[in-house]
Amino acid sequence: AAKVKADLRSADVATRQGAIRSLVHSDLSPKLFAEMRTALSDQDGEVRSTAATAIGNLGVDAVTAIPQLAAQLKSVAMKEARETAARALGRIGKAAKEERQSLVSPLTTATKEDADPVTRVVAHGALAMLEISVDEQVVSLRKYLHHDEALVRMKASHALGMLGLVAKSAAPEIVEVLKQETDSHRRGYVARALGSTGDPASLPALQAALERETDAGAQGEMRGA
């Protein structure tokens, strides 16, 4: 803990980046919550982005960071930092039901006004995680399955997969995303989404994709799905 604290204060950007990455899935995170909140204001965008991810993973224990995350979603120039802030707000709100209404406004604004389609997708998914107009969020996310950018299609698939069976109606469209995807890492995420949406009609497409797949990570996701 002492080393990570020191590294988060380092003048070297790479050292700070490594320190905050180490807290994304760590037993130290609850003990270093104050330091992670400070990292949300770091001069480096990657540090801010990763800090939002680490904080979001704390769920209800990160409620006091909501104002900072909402501010990051609204005004930070780096789109990845806005994306992770939106996802963190969804995870915190899912765990802390009493905070949900305070998150509706910043997330709804992001779905409509953010210049980055990935951030808009994540904001829709976060609202659905908060059980805010879930059917409407699913409809909105399905539109992004037909976006020109492969990354946006994958993110939309992933967001729908996070919702589970309530997004089952989107499975045929996610199948088409899987068929089009040229990147093995993204194929893994799309396959996972198909498993999570739970439509048995997706099984032939998953089996066919598995037979063609050469990447071990994507194969694992397809088998899991």
Side-chain angles (χ1 to χ4, degrees), residues 42-117:
D42 195 275
Q43 293 180 348
D44 179 67
E46 184 177 332
V47 172
R48 294 197 301 271
S49 177
T50 308
T53 298
I55 287 171
N57 288 344
L58 295 179
V60 68
D61 293 332
V63 164
T64 55
I66 287 175
Q68 286 175 274
L69 290 166
Q72 179 161 304
L73 174 60
K74 181 179 179 180
S75 61
V76 171
M78 184 182 181
K79 62 183 181 180
E80 290 82 3
R82 299 197 305 275
E83 173 195 347
T84 56
R87 187 175 294 109
L89 290 172
R91 287 175 173 168
I92 294 169
K94 182 178 181 180
K97 293 184 178 181
E98 67 279 3
E99 301 294 333
R100 291 182 179 181
Q101 285 306 312
S102 68
L103 305 177
V104 173
S105 178
L107 287 169
T108 300
T109 298
T111 65
K112 298 176 180 178
E113 299 180 5
D114 199 282
D116 175 39

Side-chain angles (χ1 to χ4, degrees), residues 134 138 142 159-172 174 196-197:
V134 176
V138 170
R142 288 176 66 174
L160 289 161
M162 292 289 288
L163 302 180
L165 292 175
V166 71
K168 184 178 178 178
S169 60
I174 300 175
S196 299
T197 52

Side-chain angles (χ1 to χ4, degrees), residues 50 54 80 93 105 124 141 158 182 184 186 192 195 211 222:
T50 308
E80 290 82 3
S105 178
H124 277 297
L141 286 168
H158 181 58
T182 59
S184 60
R186 292 195 295 260
R192 186 190 305 176
E211 291 172 358
M222 291 168 184

Side-chain angles (χ1 to χ4, degrees), residues 2-84:
K3 183 181 186 308
V4 175
K5 282 184 181 182
D7 286 351
L8 286 171
R9 295 192 297 267
S10 173
D12 180 65
V13 173
T15 299
R16 299 201 305 278
Q17 291 172 347
I20 195 64
R21 280 197 298 269
S22 74
L23 294 175
V24 172
H25 297 291
S26 171
D27 292 338
L28 289 176
S29 295
K31 300 179 178 69
L32 299 179
F33 178 50
E35 286 75 15
M36 292 195 297
R37 288 184 64 181
T38 299
L40 287 174
S41 302
D42 195 275
Q43 293 180 348
D44 179 67
E46 184 177 332
V47 172
R48 294 197 301 271
S49 177
T50 308
T53 298
I55 287 171
N57 288 344
L58 295 179
V60 68
D61 293 332
V63 164
T64 55
I66 287 175
Q68 286 175 274
L69 290 166
Q72 179 161 304
L73 174 60
K74 181 179 179 180
S75 61
V76 171
M78 184 182 181
K79 62 183 181 180
E80 290 82 3
R82 299 197 305 275
E83 173 195 347
T84 56

Side-chain angles (χ1 to χ4, degrees), residues 168-183:
K168 184 178 178 178
S169 60
E173 292 162 283
I174 300 175
V175 164
E176 294 305 312
V177 174
L178 179 61
K179 290 179 180 178
Q180 298 172 40
E181 186 52 69
T182 59
D183 179 82

